[in-house]
Amino acid sequence: MVEPPSNGAVRTAAVPAGARRISHSERAMPVLARLRDRFADERPLSGVHVVACLPLTAETAVLARLLAAGGAEVALCSSNPLSTQDDVAAALRSDGMTVAARRGVDRAGYYADVRQALDTLAGARRALLLDDGCDLLSALHTERPALLRSGVVAGACEQTATGVLRLHQMARDRALALPVVAVNDTPTKRVVDNRWGSGQSTVDALLRATGMLLAGRTAVVAGYGDVGRGVASRLRGLGASVIVTEVDPTAALDAALDGYRVLPMAEAAPLASIVVTATGARDVVTAAHLGLLPDGAVLANAGHFDVEIDVRGLVALAVERTVAVRPGVDEYVLPHGRRVLLVGEGRVAGLAAAEGSPPAVMDVAFALQALTAEWLLTAGLPRGVHPVPAGIDRAVAGLALGSLGLALDVLTPAQEAYLRSWRAGS
């Protein structure tokens, strides 16, 4: 009889698998490769502790290694209980980093990991936080006030729309005690990551989880911000008929002029083969909407938290539940006999049922994180929410263009003079 491998043996086997996965992503992230060379030479993060609460994927590992090459001591936790790639986590632990994350932990375990990552700051002289959703910063303010009072944490970066929204609310309540840079809000990040990265990864999750043909289906996209735009365009590109729901009249008008039907959710739900939420709000799909869905409708969330779809209401309403009817999707049978398929437990689908945004996308997003973190150390910002300097955003966009073999036109002196003048007219 062959003995099953011990947990230690499984963890040991995971290290080379994770290292291979990280190496594969590194080859598709040329901007971070260039920055890593410079960081290794200049060591701008020497003596700095960096705690990062990010989706723990191979792409995040490339960022973590860049920060370590720049002299930082790095600790990581995951920003989503279903985003952790356990083999990647094992590889980073073998690099000597503190990693408090495991795929599939419950809510209590998730927040315990966040606290464990913050605890690595004990004895630190200077620290930076990189957050994704504001859970790390929220825990720092509510559970580790002594760290705030010590002045150890120089500042933080936030890379999601949901997290930036929470930070502005903290600032309005006079609760935010640090300078935080809203990395999410740069034009480059919103186009490359929010629109194209989230759009592709969400559709990737739908395909992996359900195996369904999207062509000819009716898909409802709730929210027409950057993420919703990306999801809607990718679904339409694969042949789906897309309906948009919105609460903002300008966004709704934008969707209509882009060629989408715009309906309230109560009218859209009975038509939907697929519903994707991308709003940043809660209760976008409620128990009342669930009863309107056709048999076999698929629910997926592209927002950061698992509150956009009323998952608890779905569980309470269902008369039968099949967990993992396919990998990444659970089936619920409602009282009227219709089935509803929920992708990734209602968490961000692209991470829960797929692998997140492609490496080329995260190359841009994480380059913004790295350069902003470097700048933040010497910027001397007051507490509050701050934008990324436009020069950093343009620099990253330029590096990304160069990595694609693309180039820009350059203004002539006459064009520059014309653009500076108010005297020239028709």
Side-chain angles (χ1 to χ4, degrees):
M1 179 176 176
V2 177
E3 291 289 331
S6 67
N7 287 339
V10 171
R11 286 193 294 269
T12 301
V15 171
R20 287 193 297 272
R21 191 188 290 219
I22 296 168
S23 178
H24 175 77
S25 291
E26 280 179 328
R27 289 193 292 272
M29 301 177 80
V31 177
L32 286 191
R34 288 188 60 179
L35 292 182
R36 183 173 176 175
D37 289 342
R38 179 174 73 76
F39 272 46
D41 287 341
E42 299 177 7
R43 306 278 288 178
L45 304 179
S46 290
V48 177
H49 283 60
V50 175
V51 178
C53 181
L54 300 168
L56 222 163
T57 64
E59 292 73 37
T60 299
V62 179
L63 171 64
R65 288 180 169 179
L66 180 153
L67 299 172
E73 184 172 329
V74 181
L76 299 115
C77 58
S78 181
S79 61
N80 185 307
L82 293 180
S83 72
T84 300
Q85 295 167 352
D86 288 331
D87 54 354
V88 169
L92 290 176
R93 290 188 188 100
S94 73
D95 286 350
M97 297 184 198
T98 299
V99 181
R102 181 172 56 84
R103 185 176 181 85
V105 295
D106 60 15
R107 196 174 298 270
Y110 167 77
Y111 283 106
D113 288 342
V114 171
R115 288 189 288 269
Q116 183 181 337
L118 284 173
D119 288 342
T120 64
L121 295 179
R125 294 192 306 261
R126 202 167 193 212
L128 288 174
L129 305 185
L130 306 183
D131 210 352
D132 184 294
C134 196
D135 278 346
L136 187 68
L137 282 161
S138 177
L140 174 68
H141 282 74
T142 58
E143 301 182 31
R144 298 291 187 272
L147 276 174
L148 282 173
R149 291 192 297 269
S150 72
V152 165
V153 183
C157 299
E158 169 57 54
Q159 75 160 12
T160 67
T162 297
V164 172
L165 176 63
R166 294 177 75 188
L167 287 166
H168 281 300
Q169 292 166 343
M170 290 175 70
R172 281 194 293 270
D173 290 344
R174 299 183 182 276
L176 187 60
L178 293 171
V180 185
V181 183
V183 175
N184 174 78
D185 290 356
T186 75
T188 300
K189 165 70 166 59
R190 294 175 70 168
V191 168
V192 176
D193 187 6
N194 298 13
R195 187 184 303 177
W196 299 115
S198 295
Q200 179 168 316
S201 67
T202 302
V203 172
D204 184 19
L206 287 170
L207 296 174
R208 293 190 195 205
T210 69
M212 71 190 305
L213 176 68
L214 296 178
R217 305 280 186 148
T218 297
V220 175
V221 177
Y224 203 64
D226 293 312
V227 173
R229 284 185 181 89
V231 173
S233 69
R234 298 303 87 198
L235 288 169
R236 182 162 64 180
L238 288 171
S241 175
V242 178
I243 298 170
V244 169
T245 71
E246 252 298 344
V247 297
D248 180 83
T250 303
L253 180 60
D254 190 18
L257 295 178
D258 278 341
Y260 300 109
R261 290 182 70 187
V262 179
L263 294 173
M265 183 61 76
E267 296 180 29
L271 308 174
S273 299
I274 305 157
V275 178
V276 179
T277 55
T279 70
R282 62 173 298 142
D283 302 327
V284 179
V285 176
T286 66
H289 299 131
L290 295 173
L292 303 174
L293 294 169
D295 182 44
V298 176
L299 296 176
N301 172 43
H304 186 77
F305 290 120
D306 61 340
V307 296
E308 301 206 21
I309 299 166
D310 183 7
V311 178
R312 292 172 182 81
L314 177 59
V315 172
L317 189 63
V319 297
E320 183 181 335
R321 177 187 180 191
T322 303
V323 176
V325 66
R326 284 175 55 95
V329 64
D330 299 337
E331 182 183 84
Y332 295 82
V333 180
L334 302 184
H336 48 51
R338 292 182 219 159
R339 297 163 298 122
V340 172
L341 300 175
L342 179 65
V343 176
E345 301 178 10
R347 297 190 179 277
V348 56
L351 288 163
E355 297 183 43
S357 294
V361 169
M362 299 316 299
D363 192 29
V364 172
F366 285 154
L368 285 166
Q369 284 271 36
L371 290 178
T372 301
E374 178 188 28
W375 167 77
L376 179 56
L377 281 173
T378 58
L381 299 176
R383 69 181 187 174
V385 183
H386 301 273
V388 174
I392 290 178
D393 190 54
R394 286 195 298 268
V396 171
L399 289 170
L401 281 171
S403 73
L404 295 171
L406 304 175
L408 297 172
D409 277 329
V410 178
L411 291 172
T412 66
Q415 287 173 318
E416 290 179 343
Y418 176 81
L419 293 172
R420 288 195 301 266
S421 173
W422 58 271
R423 296 181 182 279
S426 60

